[in-house]
Every structure is written in C-alpha cells, then in structure tokens.
Amino acid sequence: MDPAKERVPIRRPGGRAAGVVARVHQAARELLTEVGYEALQLPDVAVRAGVNKTTVYRRWPTKRDLVSDLLLELSDHDLPRADTGHLSDDLVALLKDVAELLRTPLMQAMMRASLEGTIDPDARQSFWTERMHRSSVIIERAIRRGELPDDADARSILEHAASPIYFRLLITGEPVTDDDIRLFAERAVEAARRA
C-alpha cells in the first residue's frame, strides 16, 4: 500500500471548529436568556462555552456579530409542514409554531435586540427572507388546491396572519390564545381572497 495514502487524516463530521461554534452558540443562547442582550459579554460566553476568549473574539469580534449569527441559526427552526388540506388550518399550525417560538425567553431577547437595531441588518434580512421562504409552502399549496388565486402574494398573506402575534407578544405583552390564532388565520385568508 502507498504510504502516502496511509497518512491521509480521517475527517470528523463538522470537525473541531463546528464543535466550538456549537458550544459558543449554546453558551450565548443560555446567557441571552438569563441576562439579556445588554448584559451579554463575550468573555462570559467564552467561559460558559469552555473556550478561550480569543477564540470567540476571532470569529465574533463583537456581541452584535455573535447575536446576528445566532439569529441566522434560528432561521433553520423547522416550520410546520403538515398539509391539512385547508389553508386556514395550515396557517393555524404555522401561527401556533410562531407563537410558541416567540414565547421563549431566547427568542424574545433576540427579537428585542433586532427591534433595537443591535443585530446586523443583513443578518436580520436573511433571517426574515428564509422564514418567509419556508413558510410560503403553505400559500403555494393553497394556490394549487384552488383556495387562492394564482397571483396571491405569499409574503403579504403571511405578514397579515403573523403580525398580530408579533405585536402582542413582543410589543404590548398581551396574551395570544388558540382562539386568537384561529381568528388571525381566518382574517388573513379572507383578506387574501378579497385581494
């Protein structure tokens, strides 16, 4: 056997760097939940993650960079894919997921940081673009079933349905019940059909 081939290192899936990123992300999520964005400090993240603070600063020079990176990671949060056969029921499932996610202390801290402008605008835009893209499957299915016209605007429908949840949970602090979610979904569907 060729000795050069014997020396080829075996690569670990994700490698050491991926493990460091995962630990730093986890530590940052925990600290954001515990102390909020303003009190979050990169040296504290490094200690919690069990890595050298220079490792953190090299990849994320500021806490804004780290929190922006976390926001992009959150865009991977799975959205309901169940096809109930009815647009309003599909929207209800999606909106319940949105409300559940927004009720978590981590997501509340992330959204507040975003509203305050402390998250990189490009990261914020990428997050919302990805969320809309993933959610639009609900509208595409409704168009194929004939529930909506072919030119229905997925983003407008999704924004109409979800906006009251974001407003209540992040701005006014009012509760959002399952009955509210059903009402928001039905109003969005009705508006889309009238458009």
Side-chain angles (χ1 to χ4, degrees):
M1 182 178 271
D2 183 351
K5 289 184 180 175
E6 290 178 17
R7 283 189 239 120
V8 174
I10 297 172
R11 299 188 133 236
R12 293 172 288 171
R16 182 175 175 273
V20 168
V21 169
R23 289 200 317 273
V24 170
H25 278 187
Q26 181 61 34
R29 284 191 297 268
E30 291 170 4
L31 285 167
L32 265 172
T33 300
E34 292 169 18
V35 303
Y37 180 83
E38 286 304 317
L40 180 72
Q41 298 296 321
L42 292 182
D44 296 337
V45 172
V47 168
R48 177 77 59 104
V51 300
N52 193 302
K53 67 181 178 181
T54 58
T55 301
V56 174
Y57 280 108
R58 189 173 25 238
R59 187 170 189 115
W60 303 280
T62 67
K63 69 179 176 181
R64 179 182 184 185
D65 294 325
L66 178 55
V67 173
S68 295
D69 199 32
L70 284 178
L71 184 64
L72 290 176
E73 181 188 58
L74 280 171
S75 69
D76 287 336
H77 178 77
D78 287 335
L79 298 166
R81 299 290 183 186
D83 185 352
T84 65
H86 300 283
L87 174 58
S88 59
D89 292 337
D90 287 353
L91 274 175
V92 165
L94 172 69
L95 296 178
K96 283 183 178 180
D97 182 72
V98 167
E100 182 181 326
L101 184 62
L102 286 177
R103 286 185 184 111
T104 66
L106 171 64
M107 196 60 175
Q108 288 187 7
M110 297 288 287
M111 290 294 104
R112 283 196 183 94
S114 180
L115 290 170
E116 292 164 3
T118 52
I119 290 186
D120 178 68
D122 291 337
R124 189 172 57 235
Q125 181 64 37
S126 293
F127 171 80
W128 291 113
T129 298
E130 181 62 22
R131 296 297 287 180
M132 287 295 175
H133 172 72
R134 289 175 182 232
S135 302
S136 67
V137 67
I138 291 171
I139 307 306
E140 292 163 9
R141 288 192 308 235
I143 291 170
R144 285 194 302 270
R145 288 192 300 257
E147 290 183 87
L148 292 173
D150 290 345
D151 62 348
D153 182 357
R155 185 176 182 119
S156 293
I157 296 165
L158 294 167
E159 286 176 349
H160 188 213
S163 292
I165 295 172
Y166 282 88
F167 183 77
R168 285 192 185 187
L169 294 179
L170 297 176
I171 307 298
T172 67
E174 294 175 82
V176 175
T177 67
D178 285 352
D179 288 341
D180 293 328
I181 287 173
R182 171 69 59 186
L183 178 63
F184 301 153
E186 289 173 355
R187 283 180 180 167
V189 170
E190 185 180 329
R193 288 180 176 151
R194 284 197 315 261

